[in-house]
């Protein structure tokens, strides 16, 4: 277990000045900032709808979040965490350390997983903060009249679970391919396909449709807790985690 | 218990259907500085990768510290420092951060990283990003990473690559110092001249086969003496000698021949003088190790 913690800490140390870490921190700030500005300067439009402003804010955010922001972010994290080793040609170096290969693989995977979790928690927290700030600065919108933390928190959690399938596929592609074009290009094509096919009756089987489907459900049934696409996402995550480990174990470092 | 710190028996390896190593049997004694010499593509790096368990699917036996690499990988790697091919460095981190990261993984105090930076002469450049390092600085940092865990065995693949003569000398001194401390050093090079001053033992690999292995002194002993002649007309001298001594050749612009006795030299001198040539010098020269190396691998040395 000591090996695992050391390897995980090493991943955080290595992530300094990387795209993955910068995106995890600054992208939520940027997104929340934009939505805050939108609500602040369009306060009257928000108030006019007569809707729960938390739901309105969430609908505005999750449309883009589910189709583009979250899948792209997962791709960037998967790519960046593997790219560190590819660029440094460091896989062979890492494998000459007195560490079991499983530990190295699990630590890297766990690090990327934690980044996505941090990203989700940070953005969720910023949305809560933003709503409360608007309640003070623009009370006419009415954020202070509703309490939708549970609804929004649950949705962020569902999006987090739903993106794990996509992340696992991207992680494996980025581990296998050294370049940027193949893993990210493939991921982008699959993300577009996922968004287009989200309404198809078998789309729940396609991990890249999971986040757009959850967004659609949000419009239809705000109380929905779980959906089949989440099982698929978790199943794919588990299966690809195993496949990745077998690849690491057998990987020759030419 | 084996007497050797590195021991391979009939080591074979193939990339797919292409065989790379053909029955390599290495014997490296504890405390030795073992030079593993061969041309590019001879199989040096592949052998090193097998020793470090980077290529797990090999044939034969590989033992380090008396233990099989297949069964005791972690124990062996815990006592081994390595630099394989070009140094694997994180470009976006500073030199110090690269070492601190490795120190963290090896559960060593950060101070150890600073000591190593001083040892490899990079202390002043410790806050510079590795992306801004020169080739020589990267090579030194790579060696520093290998040294960090104070290993009992140091495996270095072409450690002097990219270094200027001064850098090469510093690495030599560093390795000699480590050897005095009892560290066993296994280093590969494609240039015998670069390592002959520091190695105690030598292995020569060519096309995946180990053609020579033993103390460097035994190679030196086998360096046969050659006679070099300097006369008023060396071209004519060469032609005259060729009739009786077909092995005559040119060395540094002078006719040169091996396999002649001292008595023959006297006769030869008289004959050259008799032909009207003024003989300025008749001197014995030992074959250098580089030439011997090329003799062993039966490949003509590259022309300068």
């Amino acid at each position: 277990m000591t090996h695992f913690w050391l390897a995980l800490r090493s991943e955080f140390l290595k992530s300094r000045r990387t795209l993955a870490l910068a995106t995890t921190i600054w992208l939520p700030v940027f997104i929340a900032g934009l939505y805050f500005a939108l609500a602040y300067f369009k306060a009257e439009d928000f108030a006019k709808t007569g809707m729960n402003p938390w739901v309105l804010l969430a609908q505005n955010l999750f449309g883009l979040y589910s189709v583009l922001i979250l899948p792209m972010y997962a791709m960037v994290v998967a790519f960046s965490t593997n790219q560190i080793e590819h660029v440094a040609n460091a896989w062979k170096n890492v494998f000459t350390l007195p560490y079991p290969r499983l530990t190295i693989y699990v630590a890297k995977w766990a690090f990327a997983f934690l980044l996505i979790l941090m990203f989700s928690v940070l953005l969720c927290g910023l949305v809560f903060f933003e709503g409360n700030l608007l309640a003070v600065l623009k009370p006419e919108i009415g954020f202070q009249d509703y309490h939708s933390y549970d609804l929004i928190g649950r949705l962020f959690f569902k999006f987090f679970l739903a993106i794990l399938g996509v992340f696992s596929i991207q992680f494996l592609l980025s581990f296998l391919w050294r370049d940027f074009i193949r893993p990210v290009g493939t991921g982008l094509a699959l993300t577009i396909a996922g968004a287009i096919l989200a309404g198809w009756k078998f789309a729940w089987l396609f991990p890249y449709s999971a986040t757009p489907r959850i967004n659609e459900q949000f419009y239809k049934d705000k109380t929905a807790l779980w959906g089949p696409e989440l099982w698929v996402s978790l199943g794919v995550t588990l299966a690809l985690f195993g496949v990745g480990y077998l690849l690491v174990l057998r990987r020759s470092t030419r | 218990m084996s007497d050797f710190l590195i021991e391979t028996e009939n080591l074979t390896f193939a990339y797919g259907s292409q065989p790379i190593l053909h029955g390599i049997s290495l014997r490296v004694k504890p405390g030795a500085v073992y030079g593993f010499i061969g041309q590019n593509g001879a199989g040096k790096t592949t052998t090193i990768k097998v020793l470090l368990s980077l290529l797990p699917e090999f044939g034969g036996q590989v033992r380090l510290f008396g233990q099989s690499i297949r069964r005791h990988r972690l124990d062996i790697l815990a006592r081994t420092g390595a630099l394989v091919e070009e140094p694997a460095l994180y470009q976006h981190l500073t030199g110090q951060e690269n070492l601190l990261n490795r120190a963290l993984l090896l559960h060593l105090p950060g101070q150890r990283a600073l000591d190593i930076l001083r040892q490899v002469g990079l202390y002043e450049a410790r806050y510079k990003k590795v992306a801004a390092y020169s080739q020589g600085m990267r090579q030194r940092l790579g060696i520093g990473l290998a040294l960090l865990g104070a290993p009992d065995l140091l495996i270095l693949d072409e450690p002097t690559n990219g270094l200027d003569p001064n850098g090469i000398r510093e690495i030599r001194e560093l390795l000699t110092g480590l050897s005095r401390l009892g560290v066993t050093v296994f280093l590969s090079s494609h240039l015998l001249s670069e390592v002959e001053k520091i190695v105690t033992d030598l292995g020569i690999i060519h096309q995946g086969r180990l053609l020579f292995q033993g103390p460097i002194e035994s190679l030196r002993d086998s360096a046969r003496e050659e006679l070099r002649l300097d006369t008023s007309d060396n071209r004519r001298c060469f032609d005259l000698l060729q009739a009786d001594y077909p092995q005559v050749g040119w060395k540094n612009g002078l006719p040169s021949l091996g396999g002649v006795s001292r008595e023959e030299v006297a006769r030869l001198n008289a004959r050259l003088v008799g032909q009207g040539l003024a003989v300025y010098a008749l001197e014995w020269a030992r074959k250098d190790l580089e030439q011997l190396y090329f003799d062993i691998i039966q490949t003509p040395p590259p022309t300068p």
Side-chain angles (χ1 to χ4, degrees):
Chain A
M1 206 56 189
T2 312
H3 275 148
F4 172 75
W5 290 117
L6 291 175
L8 188 60
R9 278 176 61 196
S10 160
E11 290 299 329
F12 274 97
L13 201 153
K14 281 190 286 190
S15 74
R16 279 183 193 183
R17 296 186 283 274
T18 62
L19 186 64
L21 196 63
T23 316
T24 302
I25 296 162
W26 293 112
L27 191 59
V29 173
F30 178 69
I31 295 166
L34 283 180
Y35 279 102
F36 175 80
L38 189 72
Y40 186 86
F41 293 111
K42 296 256 184 182
E44 284 174 18
D45 294 348
F46 258 69
K48 254 191 272 177
T49 61
M51 277 177 70
N52 174 347
W54 291 99
V55 171
L56 204 58
L57 181 69
Q59 280 178 351
N60 273 330
L61 169 68
F62 289 144
L64 200 60
Y65 184 70
S66 63
V67 174
L68 186 70
I69 298 172
L70 193 54
M72 285 300 290
Y73 170 73
M75 268 179 238
V76 166
V77 168
F79 169 75
S80 179
T81 45
N82 281 286
Q83 193 64 7
I84 286 179
E85 310 301 338
H86 288 318
V87 167
N89 212 356
W91 284 113
K92 63 174 186 288
N93 201 8
V94 171
F95 290 150
T96 60
L97 290 168
Y99 275 62
R101 288 190 173 195
L102 176 64
T103 308
I104 292 165
Y105 176 71
V106 174
K108 191 164 271 302
W109 197 93
F111 167 72
F113 174 88
L114 284 174
L115 282 189
I116 298 175
L117 184 64
M118 277 163 59
F119 176 83
S120 304
V121 169
L122 184 58
L123 186 57
C124 181
L126 285 169
V127 167
F128 291 161
F129 174 73
E130 182 180 317
N132 282 293
L133 194 62
L134 286 165
V136 176
L137 299 176
K138 295 280 179 184
E140 64 271 28
I141 302 177
F143 275 98
Q144 66 279 15
D145 302 331
Y146 299 88
H147 296 283
S148 303
Y149 298 135
D150 177 50
L151 172 70
I152 292 176
R154 198 170 62 232
L155 268 162
F156 267 108
F157 182 61
K158 281 173 75 173
F159 279 125
F160 169 69
L161 294 179
I163 203 64
L164 290 181
V166 171
F167 159 69
S168 301
I169 295 169
Q170 292 299 136
F171 191 84
L172 204 61
L173 294 180
S174 299
F175 174 72
L176 291 172
W177 288 329
R178 292 177 64 100
D179 59 323
F180 175 80
I181 296 294
R182 280 185 293 175
V184 177
T186 308
L188 204 58
L190 291 172
T191 301
I192 293 167
I196 293 170
L197 297 174
W200 185 44
K201 64 176 176 176
F202 293 117
W204 60 276
L205 285 167
F206 186 42
Y208 288 80
S209 287
T211 49
R213 277 176 62 84
I214 285 170
N215 186 48
E216 279 181 15
Q217 279 167 16
F218 175 56
Y219 280 88
K220 289 176 192 159
D221 176 11
K222 294 192 175 24
T223 58
L225 284 173
W226 199 264
E229 55 282 315
L230 291 184
W231 285 119
V232 171
S233 173
L234 294 179
V236 166
T237 304
L238 213 64
L240 293 189
F241 183 82
V243 171
Y245 171 57
L246 288 178
L247 285 172
V248 169
L249 206 62
R250 295 178 61 82
R251 186 173 186 141
S252 280
T253 316
R254 290 190 177 194
Chain B
M1 191 71 184
S2 167
D3 291 336
F4 300 102
L5 197 134
I6 298 176
E7 188 174 15
T8 70
E9 266 171 46
N10 202 24
L11 170 63
T12 57
F13 183 80
Y15 282 125
S17 59
Q18 190 192 354
I20 304 292
L21 303 178
H22 308 269
I24 302 279
S25 293
L26 288 173
R27 304 276 185 271
V28 181
K29 289 173 287 192
V33 180
Y34 188 101
F36 194 45
I37 313 299
Q39 293 175 316
N40 292 336
K44 302 186 297 291
T45 300
T46 304
T47 306
I48 284 176
K49 285 182 173 176
V50 170
L51 295 179
L52 293 166
S53 187
L54 289 172
L55 300 172
E57 288 166 4
F58 59 86
Q61 298 292 319
V62 174
R63 280 187 295 275
L64 284 87
F65 302 101
Q67 296 177 307
S68 161
I69 190 71
R70 290 189 211 270
R71 287 194 294 275
H72 299 277
R73 175 178 166 266
L74 296 185
D75 293 337
I76 290 168
L77 293 180
R79 300 177 66 185
T80 306
L83 168 66
V84 188
E85 293 174 317
E86 77 281 14
L89 305 168
Y90 300 109
Q91 312 276 322
H92 63 290
L93 300 180
T94 64
Q96 179 168 304
E97 285 168 344
N98 267 279
L99 279 163
L100 284 173
N101 176 54
R102 180 64 67 89
L104 170 72
L105 287 166
L106 297 177
H107 221 176
L108 298 168
Q111 183 58 40
R112 175 75 185 149
L114 297 178
D115 294 343
I116 289 290
L117 280 165
R118 283 195 190 90
Q119 196 172 353
V120 297
L122 290 173
Y123 189 76
E124 300 302 321
R126 65 191 184 281
Y127 297 132
K128 241 187 187 182
K129 275 192 201 171
V130 165
Y133 274 21
S134 68
Q135 175 70 20
M137 289 162 89
R138 287 173 197 213
Q139 200 68 15
R140 279 187 280 163
L141 186 58
I143 293 171
L145 284 167
L147 290 174
L148 192 68
D152 296 319
L153 169 65
L154 199 54
I155 296 180
L156 305 173
D157 188 14
E158 309 261 2
T160 50
N161 254 2
L163 296 180
D164 57 24
N166 199 37
I168 293 173
R169 191 173 51 81
E170 281 172 14
I171 296 300
R172 273 191 204 132
E173 284 167 9
L174 181 69
L175 296 180
T176 308
L178 288 169
S179 170
R180 279 197 210 104
L181 294 174
V183 177
T184 305
V185 182
F186 182 93
L187 72 153
S188 76
S189 178
H190 60 277
L191 292 173
L192 179 57
S193 57
E194 255 184 26
V195 298
E196 65 171 291
K197 287 191 181 116
I198 53 166
V199 298
T200 57
D201 295 82
L202 207 62
I204 293 177
I205 185 174
H206 185 60
Q207 294 177 349
R209 290 183 169 82
L210 195 64
L211 300 184
F212 173 86
Q213 180 169 234
I216 188 145
E217 286 312 320
S218 71
L219 190 67
R220 288 207 174 100
D221 290 345
S222 63
R224 287 162 300 173
E225 287 184 325
E226 274 187 344
L227 183 71
R228 300 227 180 120
L229 303 95
D230 191 10
T231 66
S232 52
D233 185 347
N234 286 332
R235 179 76 245 175
R236 210 172 132 230
C237 168
F238 180 88
D239 293 340
L240 283 168
L241 290 172
Q242 212 171 23
D244 298 330
Y245 303 98
Q247 74 271 34
V248 68
W250 290 93
K251 192 85 183 180
N252 300 333
L254 298 174
S256 166
L257 75 162
V260 285
S261 65
R262 289 162 63 82
E263 291 71 24
E264 273 178 293
V265 175
R267 281 200 295 277
L268 214 144
N269 181 38
R271 188 170 156 214
L272 292 174
V273 173
Q275 292 290 328
L277 289 172
V279 178
Y280 304 135
L282 283 168
E283 60 180 6
W284 291 104
R286 288 175 80 88
K287 247 184 189 179
D288 64 26
L289 286 183
E290 203 70 31
Q291 182 60 48
L292 254 179
Y293 161 69
F294 285 112
D295 285 353
I296 288 170
I297 64 171
Q298 294 181 318
T299 303
T303 46

